[in-house]
Amino acid sequence: MEHSFPEFVTGEAIKNLRSKIEFPDDVPFQDWEYIVADSTRLSEFISYYESLELSVEEKFALMIVMVGSYNDAISEGEEQNAAWQKIRYFLINDVMIHWNTIMYWSLLEDEIDLEDCFAVTPQMREIVDDLGSFSIEQGSLHNLILKE
């Protein structure tokens, strides 16, 4: 059985998120999810992910905004461990939605040294390591031990 994970943020997801969450209106759709990332709004984005009723496409798009915001926070020297723990939980819990996001930010396919990567890449690589027992065929997280 072949599984498809969301790969791209759709225009419909952006429109729907704009109607549910206040985002700037003048941001073009191309790279929207990276442009609207904002480290100062990270806890707000997490709260929306937790509380709003979101489609798969909306969750996918909002998660990229959240990871981008967290990446910015690390780069600004404002790493927020509590925020990361929630993001990490959502990534693992909704792995069937966020697999491509995890792979993108982990940079595993590019074999890039950790000195030349995103600020969040080490944490994303930990998730990949933790998901080593993830069974895509079953769509489950058998034997996954979450790090505290």
Side-chain angles (χ1 to χ4, degrees):
M1 175 184 222
E2 189 171 315
H3 293 275
S4 64
F5 304 100
E7 292 184 54
F8 305 102
V9 173
T10 65
E12 183 175 340
I14 293 170
K15 288 177 188 174
N16 291 343
L17 285 174
R18 281 181 172 170
S19 73
K20 296 176 181 183
I21 302 170
E22 187 174 330
F23 285 109
D25 289 330
D26 60 345
V27 177
F29 279 13
Q30 183 173 345
D31 295 331
W32 175 88
E33 62 274 26
Y34 304 108
I35 296 168
V36 300
D38 182 347
S39 63
T40 65
R41 295 183 66 191
L42 181 56
S43 43
E44 178 186 347
F45 296 146
I46 290 169
S47 177
Y48 289 134
Y49 192 95
E50 290 175 310
S51 63
L52 291 178
E53 190 167 321
L54 301 171
S55 70
V56 167
E57 289 183 347
E58 292 164 354
K59 282 184 172 189
F60 177 74
L62 184 55
M63 179 55 69
I64 296 172
V65 172
M66 289 164 46
V67 173
S69 299
Y70 182 72
N71 186 71
D72 291 347
I74 296 171
S75 297
E76 296 161 2
E78 301 292 329
E79 187 169 353
Q80 303 168 26
N81 190 51
W84 172 247
Q85 292 306 315
K86 286 189 174 194
I87 292 169
R88 183 180 187 287
Y89 171 80
F90 299 139
L91 286 167
I92 291 171
N93 193 55
D94 289 333
V95 70
M96 298 302 285
I97 298 170
H98 302 306
W99 179 252
N100 285 320
T101 301
I102 294 166
M103 295 310 294
Y104 173 81
W105 290 93
S106 69
L107 294 172
L108 288 174
E109 294 177 1
D110 297 325
E111 297 183 25
I112 293 177
D113 188 346
L114 286 178
E115 294 177 9
D116 299 321
C117 64
F118 300 117
V120 73
T121 296
Q123 289 99 320
M124 295 303 254
R125 288 184 177 181
E126 285 179 13
I127 290 175
V128 172
D129 289 344
D130 290 345
L131 291 172
S133 61
F134 173 67
S135 169
I136 292 173
E137 292 304 314
Q138 296 176 7
S140 61
L141 299 174
H142 292 295
N143 303 318
L144 176 63
I145 300 171
L146 299 178
K147 292 181 182 177
E148 294 298 322

